[in-house]
Amino acid sequence: MVHTIQLTTKLRDEMIDITRQVHDLLKQEQLDEGIAVIYSPHTTAGVTIQENADPDVRHDVLLRLDEVYPWEHPEYRHAEGNTASHLKTMTTGASQTVIVSGSRLLLGRWQGIYFCEFDGPRQRNCLVKFIRG
C-alpha cells in the first residue's frame, strides 16, 4: 500500500518536518523489519534527511540553496520562470530510504525527514511505501 501525506506549503522555499507523519504511518503498517521509501512526485519539491534539533539548520540550508541557485538569472530559459526550484530539487533528490528495525525508523539522534518545497506555496503530496524484509 502506498500512503499519501498531504501538505499545504506556505512559502516559496521551506523544509517541512514530516518525520512524525512517517512514523505514524509505520505504526499503522505494523512493520517490524524492512524499509520506508519517502518520495516526492513533484519536479519542484524534494525529500531530504537533515538535522531536526536546530531550526537554524533549515534556514541555513535554504539560504545557501538560494545563493547557489538564485531565483532569477539572466541565462535561465525555462518559460515558467522556476528553474531554480528544479535545480534545488535535483540537489535534494526526490526520495529517501530509511531502514526500519524493531518497528522503528532507524534515523540518527539528530535526523529528521523533510519535505522540501521550492516552488510554493502549493498543495503537495508526499508518498510513503513500506517494504517488508
Side-chain angles (χ1 to χ4, degrees), residues 22-122:
V22 176
H23 175 75
D24 291 346
L25 292 170
L26 174 60
K27 285 184 358 186
Q28 288 176 24
E29 284 280 321
Q30 299 178 344
L31 176 66
D32 185 47
E33 300 289 328
I35 59 172
V37 179
I38 303 97
Y39 172 71
S40 169
H42 307 288
T43 61
T44 57
V47 177
T48 195
I49 294 174
Q50 194 45 258
E51 179 178 328
N52 67 352
D54 182 354
D56 286 339
V57 171
R58 285 180 277 175
H59 170 271
D60 294 349
V61 167
L62 293 173
L63 177 71
R64 186 65 179 131
L65 284 171
D66 272 343
E67 290 172 354
V68 174
Y69 306 117
W71 192 253
E72 294 183 23
H73 188 283
E75 295 185 34
Y76 287 161
R77 294 183 181 181
H78 185 43
E80 292 179 26
N82 62 353
T83 296
S85 60
H86 291 282
L87 295 168
K88 291 173 185 181
T89 300
M90 287 175 54
T91 300
T92 60
S95 68
Q96 294 290 320
T97 302
V98 179
I99 297 169
V100 174
S101 184
S103 301
R104 294 182 330 111
L105 297 167
L106 291 188
L107 292 167
R109 167 182 260 170
W110 307 113
Q111 289 182 318
I113 304 166
Y114 288 91
F115 182 86
C116 302
E117 172 65 76
F118 298 122
D119 198 20
R122 293 180 182 246

Side-chain angles (χ1 to χ4, degrees), residues 8-23:
T8 301
T9 65
K10 295 174 177 52
L11 303 170
R12 183 181 72 198
D13 295 293
E14 65 182 302
M15 294 172 65
I16 301 168
D17 188 344
I18 60 169
T19 311
R20 173 59 47 203
Q21 291 99 314
V22 176
H23 175 75

